[in-house]
Amino acid sequence: MTGTVTAVSRDSGHGFSKPNRERITLLAGLGVAGDAHAGRTVKHRVRVKQDPTRPNLRQVHLMPEEALAEFRAAGFRVAPGTLGDNITTRGIHLLGLPVGTVLRIGEDAVLEVTGLRTPCKQIDDFQDGLLKHVVGRDDGALTHKAGIMSVVRAGGAVRPGDAIEVELPQEPHRPLGRV
């Protein structure tokens, strides 16, 4: 299974959206160089208040371009980086990947998928009503379409147009949960 990077984003502040960049640099065990969420321990403000010593399983946020297109079709103004994602992808069903999936991006970067991005009220603060599209129900099961989270196993530069190779972990696969 392969896909493509369509955009990369980072922000040194804890704002909701992240500006697009020509490239980002991933740092092993830390995340995106210069991003507010980079670090070995949690950087998300709510999680820091709960326990600042917990490991950071949210170093890199990936968002499928296909979900953004779905939100745009519903009338929302979203683009790569506007929902806080670091890497926007095309061609991979990110939300269907199991925990532990390895994503090889570009020449050197390697990510390990840790779980789902937990959508929060800030999404509705960004655009009223968007949260209902990001969190919904599919045949009664709760669905989250806010992307996935990962940790950096090997660093490297990531640019729009880079290929993404997907390596599934050994079975049995564990479905993504919230992190």
Side-chain angles (χ1 to χ4, degrees):
M1 183 178 345
T2 61
T4 306
V5 174
T6 61
V8 295
S9 310
R10 72 169 165 76
D11 190 4
S12 60
H14 278 280
F16 185 73
S17 297
K18 297 179 187 246
N20 293 156
R21 308 293 181 164
E22 290 183 21
R23 74 179 185 114
I24 56 173
T25 301
L26 302 183
L27 304 172
L30 296 173
V32 179
D35 193 81
H37 292 97
R40 294 192 190 287
T41 57
V42 293
K43 300 301 175 203
H44 186 278
R45 287 189 231 170
V46 171
R47 287 176 171 75
V48 168
K49 287 179 185 176
Q50 293 169 345
D51 181 358
T53 66
R54 293 183 71 192
N56 186 3
L57 301 178
R58 302 167 53 97
Q59 294 174 359
V60 181
H61 175 194
L62 295 99
M63 184 74 186
E65 176 67 42
E66 294 85 352
L68 294 175
E70 180 184 323
F71 303 150
R72 284 191 296 270
F76 295 98
R77 294 171 316 281
V78 293
T82 59
L83 295 179
D85 45 301
N86 299 110
I87 300 175
T88 310
T89 68
R90 181 182 305 123
I92 300 171
H93 180 51
L94 293 177
L95 302 172
L97 297 175
V99 172
T101 297
V102 171
L103 304 173
R104 297 185 182 281
I105 306 175
E107 293 181 22
D108 301 312
V110 179
L111 298 177
E112 182 179 330
V113 175
T114 56
L116 295 169
R117 180 214 177 171
T118 307
C120 65
K121 177 188 164 312
Q122 284 185 325
I123 292 173
D124 264 351
D125 293 343
F126 172 65
Q127 286 185 49
D128 190 43
L130 180 56
L131 186 58
K132 289 180 184 176
H133 289 272
V134 173
V135 178
R137 296 235 175 240
D138 184 14
D139 292 329
L142 190 63
T143 61
H144 293 209
K145 298 178 185 175
I148 63 171
M149 305 308 287
S150 63
V151 294
V152 182
R153 293 295 178 220
V158 178
R159 297 170 183 83
D162 280 351
I164 305 169
E165 295 179 27
V166 178
E167 294 178 15
L168 297 176
Q170 290 185 339
E171 293 190 18
H173 292 162
R174 290 185 304 139
L176 298 177
R178 300 181 332 171
V179 294

